[in-house]
């Protein structure tokens, strides 16, 4: 059975390349999507990539994984919700699929409030600080865990 990876992206990631390129890089969101699709295809898998600035929409996408049982793993860059959302952490355990947390920047080398993640304790792994290449690593690992 072909692995299907759901790649979720939180707030402001739609502005990659525009928002703080010195922190997040000069790549666009379209480049992130491309990296995910290429990484999945290289492993004979599929990746569906989504982004939202609405936390409720993100939670519904996670709930859909439970209802539809159509994805074998989740890769997520929760962005700011990493540090604020207990609801997101609670939702991520419901589908009972591997979860890989990914961040473009090294959150541990940044402001102190970014050092805490509500997602990390429910994730199978965390990849941070490798720019958009981190998405490729995350999709690859998600396929292994599927």
């Amino acid at each position: 059975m072909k692995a299907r990876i759901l790649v979720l992206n939180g707030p402001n990631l739609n502005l990659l390349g525009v928002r703080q390129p010195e922190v997040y890089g000069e790549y666009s969101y379209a480049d992130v999507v491309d990296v995910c699709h290429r990484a999945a295809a290289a492993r004979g898998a599929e990746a569906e990539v989504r982004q939202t600035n609405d936390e409720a929409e993100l939670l519904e996408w996670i709930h859909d994984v439970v209802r539809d049982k159509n994805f074998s793993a989740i890769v997520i860059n929760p962005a700011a919700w990493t540090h604020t959302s207990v609801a997101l952490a609670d939702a991520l355990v419901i589908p009972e699929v591997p979860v890989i947390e990914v961040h473009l920047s090294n959150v541990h080398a940044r402001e102190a409030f970014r050092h805490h993640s509500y997602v990390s304790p429910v994730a199978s792994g965390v990849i941070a600080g490798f720019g958009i290449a981190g998405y490729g690593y995350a999709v690859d690992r998600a396929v292994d865990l599927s």
Side-chain angles (χ1 to χ4, degrees), residues 8-109:
L8 299 175
N9 292 282
N12 303 313
L13 289 166
N14 57 309
L15 295 177
L16 286 177
V18 176
R19 177 181 176 237
Q20 294 180 282
E22 69 281 3
V23 174
Y24 300 108
E26 296 185 6
Y27 295 99
S28 70
Y29 180 73
D31 295 326
V32 167
V33 174
D34 186 55
V35 164
C36 293
H37 286 157
R38 286 176 187 249
R43 297 293 305 277
E46 294 178 28
E48 184 170 321
V49 187
R50 304 176 188 175
Q51 186 278 328
T52 185
N53 294 314
D54 182 340
E55 187 176 8
E57 183 173 40
L58 184 71
L59 295 175
E60 285 300 322
W61 289 340
I62 295 166
H63 296 170
D64 287 345
V65 173
V66 176
R67 287 190 284 267
D68 301 339
K69 299 187 184 324
N70 54 351
F71 292 99
S72 52
I74 297 171
V75 169
I76 185 166
N77 182 342
W81 295 322
T82 303
H83 322 291
T84 63
S85 184
V86 173
L88 176 58
D90 285 350
L92 285 168
V93 300
I94 299 169
E96 296 182 351
V97 298
V99 173
I100 307 291
E101 180 182 359
V102 64
H103 297 283
L104 294 164
S105 67
N106 179 354
V107 292
H108 302 289

